[in-house]
Amino acid sequence: FSTVLLSKVSRTLEEFDVEEQPSSVLEEKFPNLTIIHSAVKSLHTKSHCVETADGRVFGYKKLCICSGARPKLLTQDNPYVLGIRDTDSAQEFQKRLSKAKRIVIVGNGGIALELVYEVEGCEVIWAVKDKAIGNTFFDAGAAQFLIPSLEADKPQAAAPCKRPRYTTEEAAPGGSHTFTADRSSQAYGHGPTDSGSALGPDWHEGIALRGAEQVSRRVSVEYQCEVEKIFTSEVLHKSPQQTLRTECGDWPVYVRLTNAKTFGCDFVVSATGVVPNTEPFLQGNTFVVADDGGLQVDDHMMTSEPDVYAAGDVCTACWEQSPLWQQMRLWTQARQMGWYAGRCMAAHSLSEPVELDFCFELFSHITKFFNYKVVLLGKFNGQGLGPDHELLVRCTKGQEYVKVVLSGGRMVGAVLIGETDLEETFENLILNQMDLTPYGEELLNPDIDIEDYFD
């Protein structure tokens, strides 16, 4: 993939294009660069060399591991369970979807959110373990703001999207919501492969995610549940649960959830997160590994092994972090970490000092969910703040959702959904740590032009 910087939205947010290109493009641009197409078989940190799967050995002075993460699949080696991680798996998903009438999506992160909105012509059963959708990114209020988007048809032509990757009535445990949209009825509602690179922003742009049915979109959300068992049609034939075929219909695969419901479907999408892809670097070496499975790195992106650095999803930031930043395994941070790791490697080779990059001062992320622009800043969900913080919320149905997190009268986080144009102002207020106590709820008063007020 290559990125082309378009503009800076704010001090920590950038807009850019991402496109896939052959490796020869980079080799032509940088004559000192050689790209080797092979998997790594083993790493020998004591002798400073890497052995590839095709039998070649490469020595190094400094090495950076950027092997990313692999999907945390519900089950391994099941042909009816598909993970989406890279372009190959996305294309396989598109191929399978074109013949599907119903799929089950399991997970509540970014991939799941994008899929349930983008998939058309196919019934979707969406199983989430939380009380609300998008729990990784949103609170229940923001989730409630987004839910109506599942009821309506998507815009016919979405605008080009260029950016970095960088009352809430909860359903009872085991409860479900169903949202439908097609061209003939009114909406209603009631009670990655292991080795490929991450997809990056807008991975679904240009890919026709359409199933075999005529309905535009039909999504049923099953809350507070996980997968208990996945079994195929063949297994069902040999089991005493033959009645399931009558109850659920004749499907290639069946999914039993912990809320006691069973659904038949054409295939299952496992979108339940990722795990750092540290194999085969650990064997024979003494890397310190964090609790989440990532290689521990310090504030210069260095691992515990000499001259070995790591960046992106494969690593875990173990330096003393800014109170306004946290690591999330997002495309945005992988890009930032890789850029900073390169700087550190060059500086260390030249025996020059290097300071922790400013991008690690404030967490910031722009993405798009349900056709809304979404900006996350700082401790956007009150991460690590405990009960001693307050929230201010402004919501205009179908237009915008603005949430501000305050601690000690100072802004420490924000969620902006829609075209709010508040990201730069809020970023400055978070970084400046200005005491906002005198302004109270007027901070989100729509009649006050807050951008000019705090300019």
Side-chain angles (χ1 to χ4, degrees):
F1 291 95
S2 67
T3 63
V4 181
L5 181 64
L6 299 177
S7 64
K8 288 186 74 68
V9 177
S10 66
R11 193 173 178 184
T12 63
L13 293 168
E14 296 174 336
E15 289 184 335
F16 58 82
D17 269 337
V18 179
E19 60 180 339
E20 193 173 12
Q21 295 180 333
S23 57
S24 57
V25 172
L26 279 178
E27 290 181 308
E28 291 169 5
K29 189 174 181 180
F30 303 102
N32 62 332
L33 175 64
T34 302
I35 297 177
I36 298 151
H37 293 276
S38 179
V40 171
K41 181 180 179 182
S42 58
L43 167 64
H44 307 283
T45 58
K46 290 185 175 62
S47 56
H48 278 52
C49 68
V50 174
E51 183 180 356
T52 57
D54 56 12
R56 290 180 288 176
V57 177
F58 298 90
Y60 66 85
K61 289 186 177 179
K62 294 194 180 296
L63 172 74
C64 189
I65 298 173
C66 301
S67 54
R70 63 182 185 276
K72 190 163 46 179
L73 291 179
L74 292 164
T75 179
Q76 298 292 331
D77 302 321
N78 187 323
Y80 295 105
V81 177
L82 181 65
I84 299 179
R85 175 64 183 171
D86 55 16
T87 50
D88 288 342
S89 58
Q91 288 168 358
E92 174 65 18
F93 170 71
Q94 179 190 18
K95 178 182 174 183
R96 300 269 289 272
L97 180 64
S98 65
K99 302 174 183 177
K101 295 182 178 180
R102 181 196 288 168
I103 63 173
V104 172
I105 297 175
V106 183
N108 204 12
I111 292 287
L113 282 165
E114 290 169 328
L115 282 181
V116 296
Y117 183 76
E118 294 297 332
V119 167
E120 295 183 285
C122 179
E123 183 182 0
V124 175
I125 308 297
W126 186 13
V128 302
K129 65 179 180 180
D130 309 296
K131 295 179 181 179
I133 65 168
N135 192 60
T136 306
F137 302 98
F138 311 122
D139 59 11
Q144 193 68 20
F145 171 83
L146 290 171
I147 278 291
S149 297
L150 293 179
E151 302 174 11
D153 285 330
K154 292 191 303 179
Q156 289 299 310
C161 184
K162 299 169 183 175
R163 60 183 175 275
R165 280 286 181 152
Y166 107 151
T167 54
T168 304
E169 186 66 29
E170 298 170 349
S176 66
H177 286 171
T178 300
F179 308 96
T180 70
D182 58 37
R183 293 176 178 82
S184 60
S185 64
Q186 295 295 315
Y188 68 93
H190 57 79
T193 59
D194 290 352
S195 58
S197 58
L199 287 162
D202 310 323
W203 65 270
H204 48 75
E205 295 292 330
I207 299 179
L209 298 182
R210 185 162 191 88
E213 297 287 87
Q214 291 301 311
V215 65
S216 174
R217 184 165 57 228
R218 178 179 170 85
V219 180
S220 299
V221 188
E222 298 292 330
Y223 293 99
Q224 292 181 271
C225 64
E226 298 182 66
V227 172
E228 182 178 301
K229 187 176 181 181
I230 297 175
F231 45 94
T232 63
S233 174
E234 291 79 6
V235 171
L236 194 61
H237 272 302
K238 302 174 184 177
S239 75
Q241 298 172 313
Q242 286 275 7
T243 54
L244 274 180
R245 182 178 297 279
T246 305
E247 295 171 1
C248 304
D250 195 5
W251 297 93
V253 65
Y254 298 85
V255 180
R256 181 189 300 145
L257 303 176
T258 52
N259 62 6
K261 296 182 182 180
T262 301
F263 296 95
C265 60
D266 289 291
F267 65 92
V268 182
V269 179
S270 179
T272 49
V274 297
V275 291
N277 200 19
T278 56
E279 295 294 335
F281 308 107
L282 300 181
Q283 189 172 1
N285 301 309
T286 57
F287 285 105
V288 176
V289 178
D291 291 342
D292 63 6
L295 301 176
Q296 285 195 13
V297 293
D298 63 14
D299 57 357
H300 286 169
M301 307 308 294
M302 295 181 67
T303 69
S304 56
E305 291 282 16
D307 298 316
V308 179
Y309 300 71
D313 287 2
V314 75
C315 77
T316 301
C318 291
W319 62 80
E320 185 177 347
Q321 297 170 8
S322 160
L324 300 172
W325 185 86
Q326 63 272 339
Q327 182 178 6
M328 292 183 71
R329 285 181 164 82
L330 300 167
W331 201 89
T332 320
Q333 288 192 348
R335 176 175 177 265
Q336 293 170 337
M337 286 180 170
W339 183 80
Y340 176 57
R343 280 186 56 211
C344 291
M345 294 170 75
H348 294 163
S349 296
L350 299 171
S351 299
E352 294 178 354
V354 60
E355 294 184 358
L356 185 66
D357 194 85
F358 184 77
C359 68
F360 300 111
E361 184 64 27
L362 172 67
F363 174 87
S364 59
H365 184 59
I366 298 183
T367 187
K368 196 168 190 177
F369 290 130
F370 294 14
N371 209 40
Y372 286 100
K373 173 183 174 183
V374 176
V375 178
L376 308 174
L377 295 171
K379 301 295 183 178
F380 60 91
N381 261 345
Q383 296 95 324
L385 297 179
D388 190 24
H389 68 275
E390 59 179 321
L391 306 177
L392 297 179
V393 176
R394 182 176 87 201
C395 180
T396 305
K397 186 177 180 180
Q399 293 185 25
E400 65 172 16
Y401 177 90
V402 178
K403 181 184 79 172
V404 167
V405 184
L406 299 172
S407 180
R410 289 166 171 78
M411 192 182 298
V412 293
V415 174
L416 307 174
I417 304 178
E419 297 296 333
T420 67
D421 293 325
L422 291 172
E423 51 265 30
E424 188 171 11
T425 301
F426 282 7
E427 178 192 70
N428 289 332
L429 287 175
I430 295 172
L431 288 170
N432 295 340
Q433 286 296 281
M434 176 181 177
D435 186 0
L436 301 172
T437 306
Y439 305 98
E441 295 183 4
E442 291 298 297
L443 193 64
L444 294 187
N445 187 336
D447 298 324
I448 297 176
D449 193 339
I450 190 172
E451 296 173 80
D452 293 338
Y453 199 75
F454 289 106
D455 190 10

